[in-house]
Amino acid sequence: MTGKKRDDGARYEEIADELRARIDSGQYAPGDRVPGENEIMTTFEVGRDTAWKALQVLRDQGLTETRQGAPTRVRKFERIVRPANKRLSREVWGDGKSMWSVDIVDKRPTPLDVEVQRVELDARIARMLGMEAGLPAVRRSRRYAIGAKPVMRAVSHIPADLADGTPIAEVDTGDGGIYGRLKDIGHAPTLFREEVRSRMPTKAEKDWLDIKRGTPVIEIIRYAAEESGRIVEVNEMILDSSSYVLEYVIPS
Amino acid sequence: MTGKKRDDGARYEEIADELRARIDSGQYAPGDRVPGENEIMTTFEVGRDTAWKALQVLRDQGLTETRQGAPTRVRKFERIVRPANKRLSREVWGDGKSMWSVDIVDKRPTPLDVEVQRVELDARIARMLGMEAGLPAVRRSRRYAIGAKPVMRAVSHIPADLADGTPIAEVDTGDGGIYGRLKDIGHAPTLFREEVRSRMPTKAEKDWLDIKRGTPVIEIIRYAAEESGRIVEVNEMILDSSSYVLEYVIPS
């Protein structure tokens, strides 16, 4: 059975790869029907199990979607551009989409479930902020959604000596958000550093983002530093990888 | 059976998440033994199947490794830092590791399997280069490895009118690589843009990178532009996500 399983594995992956290539190339456009189990069984000369698994790979990767009783279709969901350095992007590349891949649009996710707490820093976050563990901070967690689809979860920590008595400690931080309020009190961030990783989601992350088992997450840890070099915020973000493309512009 | 499967799914994922949390927190350090099937069966009060699946998740994610007949251990593989803007990183943050997570070291992967070809641009790459399809270009593909472990595959396209007659069209591009040679001929890139996505690997990508089924890849498309705005190179990179952390420094 292990022998059989392995062959099977290779075959359904090949079929999934072939179908993905057709989606990537635009042969199957968003909203188009993809071949069903029966069609795959005939075209690729495989059994129902293998056909089902191949389709499962596409669903798990967030490439297709199925509504109850309807055929499977290519997911209609344009990726969100996340331009890390908007100023640079606009200045240099303009708003021209000519250089962009076709699947990209400019969309702004809206916040959901904003939670604000006062916490004592644990060792990990304290290290990231360059502070002592146990010191007080404001923790802001929220999700962001496009329509009903959550696409990102973000958890920020801001030292309490900066956040206390400002809207940073309230649910609504006002126009310009956390960075706007830090600027108001003379602690504007002047430099950001982002660490980007990718991995499979935990169970909690799958629930937060409403993603399938086979969809990876992108993890971004963003450090915001003010002029003096002090870290004024650390933001840990978990993104649904199938919803995003990150953009970074880098001067040489 | 579907009902049972679902419960099972939730349970083995919970166990995998718990074990991953112990690895992330450093409770299980690189090289440490992780609990085996029997220990998981006792501790979590589950059957052998569930224990096996939980361990499989960790293996698939590249968090653990098993050598024939030996117990499963936490993978000893420090992530490669990929600083997108080295100059900025060094200038501003110095070489200080204090702000870094513990799993990061400075390592330089070595190139493998360099292949250089003259090609006619297909529509997709032509669009990325801002050129007409069918025009000639030099295509350079190579893999990069740390020791015996491949960690990245990269495919660059450079317009033939720039590359022809230079070491860019040869296997060894010399000190400073492609960008050094472009500089030599007065076409130094002055600005880079990177698009970053994450997804599950295709079968070919799994083979190139020697990764397990459950390990996502990071896809980076890097555009290099010279002063005039002309794109002088497009580089499509596929990274083993379990081997890398990307770093971007962004002035506000």
Side-chain angles (χ1 to χ4, degrees):
Chain A
M1 164 136 181
T2 17
K4 187 171 167 288
K5 232 181 174 168
R6 186 155 304 165
D7 290 340
D8 229 45
R11 191 64 187 129
Y12 81 74
E13 287 185 298
E14 278 166 11
I15 298 170
D17 282 359
E18 168 62 29
L19 296 174
R20 176 154 86 175
R22 293 182 196 171
I23 294 172
D24 287 346
S25 73
Q27 184 181 340
Y28 300 155
D32 278 2
R33 233 188 113 264
V34 297
E37 275 176 31
N38 291 334
E39 199 174 333
I40 290 173
M41 288 165 68
T42 314
T43 316
F44 293 95
E45 298 179 345
V46 293
R48 186 167 301 278
D49 250 35
T50 304
W52 182 85
K53 279 188 195 164
L55 286 172
Q56 188 64 32
V57 168
L58 299 180
R59 271 192 295 272
D60 277 354
Q61 294 180 355
L63 293 170
T64 58
E65 51 194 1
T66 315
R67 271 175 240 287
Q68 198 71 37
T72 300
R73 294 181 182 278
V74 178
R75 187 175 172 216
K76 266 194 198 162
F77 189 90
E78 292 165 306
R79 279 171 193 262
I80 303 156
V81 190
R82 178 181 180 278
N85 26 15
K86 271 193 196 116
R87 193 181 54 79
L88 261 183
S89 298
R90 295 272 152 79
E91 265 174 25
V92 183
W93 306 103
D95 286 323
K97 296 247 172 85
S98 60
M99 275 183 51
W100 287 105
S101 311
V102 287
D103 60 351
I104 295 172
V105 289
D106 204 357
K107 283 186 289 198
R108 186 181 291 265
T110 49
L112 278 185
D113 316 330
V114 181
E115 280 178 27
V116 187
Q117 288 172 276
R118 211 165 191 280
V119 296
E120 290 181 359
L121 288 172
D122 65 27
R124 193 177 66 89
I125 310 274
R127 186 159 53 87
M128 294 197 282
L129 283 167
M131 293 170 66
E132 301 278 319
L135 285 175
V138 168
R139 178 185 189 276
R140 302 183 60 89
S141 79
R142 62 278 193 200
R143 290 191 297 164
Y144 292 88
I146 297 284
K149 171 66 180 77
V151 291
M152 169 162 77
R153 182 171 193 264
V155 179
S156 289
H157 283 85
I158 304 101
D161 66 291
L162 300 177
D164 279 351
T166 78
I168 294 171
E170 293 161 27
V171 167
D172 183 2
T173 51
D175 268 6
I178 297 172
Y179 298 151
R181 298 300 76 72
L182 285 168
K183 190 179 173 197
D184 293 346
I185 56 168
H187 292 276
T190 55
L191 201 68
F192 302 93
R193 205 188 73 212
E194 298 195 345
E195 287 177 23
V196 180
R197 292 174 178 78
S198 174
R199 55 175 174 75
M200 298 314 287
T202 63
K203 198 167 173 302
E205 290 165 348
K206 274 196 321 201
D207 293 343
W208 291 332
L209 298 175
D210 189 19
I211 50 179
K212 296 289 190 332
R213 178 162 309 171
T215 305
V217 290
I218 297 175
E219 188 180 352
I220 303 177
I221 305 182
R222 181 181 177 94
Y223 301 81
E226 63 176 323
E227 197 62 42
S228 69
R230 180 183 179 187
I231 309 294
V232 293
E233 185 218 28
V234 170
N235 188 356
E236 298 178 279
M237 293 165 264
I238 303 290
L239 286 67
D240 165 10
S241 67
S242 70
S243 293
Y244 273 98
V245 55
L246 316 181
E247 181 216 36
Y248 294 95
V249 174
I250 307 145
S252 88
Chain B
M1 166 138 180
T2 16
K4 184 170 170 290
K5 231 179 175 172
R6 187 156 302 167
D7 290 340
D8 229 43
R11 192 64 186 128
Y12 80 76
E13 287 185 299
E14 277 166 11
I15 298 170
D17 282 358
E18 167 62 29
L19 296 175
R20 176 153 87 175
R22 294 182 195 169
I23 293 172
D24 287 347
S25 73
Q27 184 182 339
Y28 300 154
D32 278 4
R33 235 188 111 265
V34 298
E37 275 176 31
N38 292 333
E39 199 174 333
I40 290 174
M41 287 165 69
T42 315
T43 317
F44 293 96
E45 298 179 345
V46 293
R48 185 167 302 276
D49 251 34
T50 303
W52 182 84
K53 280 189 195 163
L55 287 173
Q56 188 64 30
V57 169
L58 300 180
R59 270 193 296 271
D60 277 354
Q61 294 182 355
L63 294 169
T64 57
E65 50 194 1
T66 315
R67 270 176 241 286
Q68 199 71 37
T72 299
R73 295 181 181 278
V74 178
R75 186 174 172 219
K76 266 193 197 163
F77 189 89
E78 293 165 305
R79 279 172 193 262
I80 303 155
V81 190
R82 180 182 178 277
N85 26 16
K86 270 191 198 119
R87 192 181 54 80
L88 261 182
S89 299
R90 294 271 153 77
E91 265 175 24
V92 183
W93 307 102
D95 286 323
K97 296 249 173 82
S98 60
M99 276 182 49
W100 288 105
S101 314
V102 286
D103 60 351
I104 294 173
V105 290
D106 204 358
K107 282 186 289 197
R108 185 181 293 263
T110 50
L112 277 187
D113 315 330
V114 181
E115 281 178 26
V116 187
Q117 288 173 274
R118 209 163 192 280
V119 297
E120 290 182 359
L121 288 172
D122 65 29
R124 193 177 66 88
I125 311 274
R127 187 159 53 87
M128 295 197 281
L129 283 167
M131 292 170 67
E132 302 278 318
L135 285 175
V138 168
R139 176 185 190 276
R140 302 184 59 89
S141 79
R142 62 279 192 199
R143 290 191 298 165
Y144 292 88
I146 298 284
K149 171 68 180 76
V151 291
M152 169 161 77
R153 182 173 193 263
V155 179
S156 289
H157 284 84
I158 304 102
D161 66 290
L162 300 177
D164 278 350
T166 79
I168 294 171
E170 292 162 28
V171 167
D172 183 2
T173 51
D175 269 6
I178 297 172
Y179 299 150
R181 296 302 76 71
L182 284 168
K183 190 179 174 199
D184 294 345
I185 57 166
H187 292 275
T190 55
L191 201 68
F192 302 93
R193 205 188 74 214
E194 297 195 345
E195 287 176 22
V196 180
R197 294 174 176 79
S198 174
R199 55 175 174 73
M200 299 312 288
T202 62
K203 197 166 174 301
E205 289 165 348
K206 274 195 322 202
D207 292 343
W208 290 333
L209 298 175
D210 190 19
I211 50 179
K212 296 291 190 330
R213 179 161 309 173
T215 305
V217 290
I218 296 175
E219 188 180 353
I220 304 177
I221 304 182
R222 180 181 178 94
Y223 301 80
E226 64 176 322
E227 197 63 42
S228 70
R230 180 183 180 188
I231 309 295
V232 293
E233 185 219 30
V234 170
N235 188 355
E236 299 179 278
M237 291 165 265
I238 303 289
L239 287 67
D240 165 10
S241 67
S242 70
S243 294
Y244 273 98
V245 54
L246 314 182
E247 181 216 35
Y248 294 95
V249 175
I250 307 146
S252 88

